[in-house]
Amino acid sequence: MSGWRDTLDLVSIDELAAKFSLNPDELHTISGLYPYRITRHYFNLIREKGDPIWIQSIPDLRESCDDQESDPLSENCLSPVPGLIHRYPDRVVWLVSAECAVYCRFCMRKRRVGCGEGLLVNSSEVIRYISENSSIRDVILSGGDPLMLDDEQLEGILSALKNISHVEMIRIGTRIPVTFPRRVTKKLAAMLAKYHPIYINTHFNHPTEITPESKNACAILADAGIVLGNQTVLIKNVNDEPETMNELMCKLLSIRVRPYYLHQMDLVKGTAHFRTSVNTGLDIMASLRGHLSGLAVPYYVIDLPGGKGKVPLLPGHEVRSDGTIQLTTYLGEKVIYHDI
Ligand SMILES: *Cc1c(COP(=O)(O)O)cnc(C)c1O
Ligand code: SF4
């Protein structure tokens, strides 16, 4: 049924440890805390220890010594039924899969990916909730990675949503074009196209992730009429230099992907060593805006703690000397955000 699974081709901890002379026990310990998984495609993009691909995918002891909370965005409280996050009136996020092709070390949902908790099991409850809430017009499939479902499972979800008359569009958030591009087939794209309008947001963080294979995956999706956007996470020592971000944004447009969001890292447990300051992001934005095609410039956003939503950070925003920044939520509430 799932022919693509045979081509997933994962690199084991022991192979990783042998290739780079690492301590396998240490890697096993960290992966007991937060799961480890890397595809050979992504692994082969590593050029040397500590490079941007490495930083994003190889377990690091610093993940285990960080005392942030694990659900700063209060996603658990905004969940009317398991697996669904309803924060904004007209749209919901549905966590349809707990699995990814690569487990990113900086993941904001790292407490739940790879552990199969509370996902898909209640799909009829989710469908009922969406049917009964006619204000929901936009359903965002997320996870984990929705494209780790089999085509048949995914189609079951899409067709159930398509049957709800007030659902006007479906979005899919996926890192598969980056981590496992072979999964994107013409068959998959043709299936998705039956449920238009479908929008896909990919997740490229570094120019070296844009390979001929990922370019091809994006072309297959775009040729099926799917509008492609990209969400980048701003990560220390990965893409926190203006030149890197500039190159990434231009290359994305060249593979028919429109930059959408640049995310300030959330304050999630196990990820403190990836975080940059807000000023780093503001400086990067200043280096993009006006210098590049407007299409290449994403919104730089912070997802406010407590589930207050995403706020764009604009050139006028200033981090005060005490490290705080005043932001206004979409509901007009003023909040103080604490930068690192
Ligand atoms: C990001 C997000 C959305 C989508 O927000 P857009 O700004 O429309 O892309 C919806 N719900 C939740 C909970 C989110 O975190
Ligand atoms: S692909 Fe997305 S959900 Fe999966 S580990 Fe990476 S960032 Fe997290």
Side-chain angles (χ1 to χ4, degrees):
M1 180 168 117
S2 51
W4 59 263
R5 234 168 233 283
D6 304 333
T7 67
L8 192 52
D9 197 3
L10 300 172
V11 176
S12 70
I13 283 193
D14 295 327
E15 185 181 343
L16 162 69
K19 174 153 180 192
F20 290 102
S21 334
L22 305 173
N23 176 351
D25 295 338
E26 199 175 293
L27 291 169
H28 281 293
T29 305
I30 307 160
S31 74
L33 210 52
Y34 303 111
Y36 156 87
R37 181 188 269 181
I38 187 168
T39 54
R40 194 161 304 278
H41 172 83
Y42 201 68
F43 185 75
N44 286 343
L45 300 181
I46 296 176
R47 289 169 190 165
E48 57 185 354
K49 245 188 212 181
D51 75 11
I53 304 298
W54 175 286
I55 293 175
Q56 294 184 72
S57 57
I58 304 303
D60 186 302
L61 270 182
R62 284 174 292 178
E63 292 172 45
S64 57
C65 41
D66 169 2
D67 54 9
Q68 290 292 339
E69 353 167 19
S70 57
D71 181 28
L73 305 178
S74 308
E75 289 193 332
N76 293 339
C77 321
L78 293 164
S79 187
V81 290
L84 196 77
I85 309 162
H86 193 178
R87 176 198 287 162
Y88 300 105
D90 76 331
R91 54 211 190 276
V92 287
V93 174
W94 182 359
L95 307 174
V96 294
S97 159
E99 201 184 356
C100 303
V102 169
Y103 289 121
C104 311
R105 310 321 297 174
F106 57 84
C107 179
M108 63 165 279
R109 299 216 176 98
K110 67 190 288 173
R111 73 187 189 282
R112 63 208 294 175
V113 293
C115 60
E117 153 209 325
L119 295 133
L120 262 187
V121 284
N122 286 303
S123 70
S124 59
E125 238 186 288
V126 171
I127 290 294
R128 176 152 22 95
Y129 180 86
I130 297 173
S131 318
E132 287 169 358
N133 285 271
S134 57
S135 60
I136 300 171
R137 73 176 119 215
D138 176 2
V139 177
I140 302 161
L141 304 183
S142 180
D145 201 311
L147 295 190
M148 289 302 282
L149 300 176
D150 292 331
D151 291 7
E152 295 76 12
Q153 290 176 300
L154 191 55
E155 178 153 25
I157 290 171
L158 296 174
S159 70
L161 291 173
K162 195 76 182 170
N163 278 333
I164 303 173
S165 57
H166 54 264
V167 173
E168 293 168 14
M169 56 179 278
I170 298 168
R171 288 195 253 178
I172 298 174
T174 177
R175 195 150 148 83
I176 288 288
V178 182
T179 54
F180 181 34
R182 213 179 308 170
R183 166 75 183 95
V184 179
T185 57
K186 287 194 176 144
K187 178 171 162 279
L188 171 69
M191 184 278 283
L192 295 174
K194 290 198 269 171
Y195 302 95
H196 272 316
I198 299 275
Y199 291 78
I200 287 186
N201 271 324
T202 63
H203 179 177
F204 288 88
N205 288 332
H206 192 271
T208 59
E209 294 175 344
I210 301 180
T211 60
E213 293 85 1
S214 58
K215 178 179 180 183
N216 183 50
C218 292
I220 290 174
L221 296 169
D223 285 346
I226 296 166
V227 179
L228 299 175
N230 185 72
Q231 315 209 76
T232 295
V233 178
L234 179 56
I235 306 170
K236 194 170 179 174
N237 297 326
V238 169
N239 55 17
D240 58 344
E241 293 290 338
E243 300 73 37
T244 311
M245 197 63 81
N246 184 312
E247 185 187 350
L248 174 64
M249 296 302 141
C250 293
K251 277 196 162 170
L252 283 170
L253 285 183
S254 78
I255 63 164
R256 306 165 71 182
V257 176
R258 162 79 155 99
Y260 177 48
Y261 280 151
L262 173 62
H263 291 274
Q264 176 66 15
M265 287 252 348
D266 297 319
L267 311 170
V268 171
K269 191 175 169 68
T271 64
H273 55 295
F274 294 109
R275 227 164 284 142
T276 59
S277 68
V278 168
N279 275 334
T280 302
L282 287 171
D283 288 347
I284 288 174
M285 290 309 294
S287 79
L288 301 178
R289 167 68 56 207
H291 299 275
L292 299 182
S293 158
L295 286 175
V297 183
Y299 289 101
Y300 175 36
V301 291
I302 291 186
D303 216 340
L304 291 174
K308 292 177 190 287
K310 295 184 187 64
V311 209
L313 284 157
L314 303 165
H317 279 120
E318 242 179 89
V319 182
R320 302 182 188 128
S321 52
D322 63 354
T324 61
I325 176 165
Q326 182 173 321
L327 299 168
T328 307
T329 72
Y330 77 104
L331 293 171
E333 183 191 347
K334 297 220 185 314
V335 293
I336 301 292
Y337 178 85
H338 293 264
D339 194 15
I340 56 171

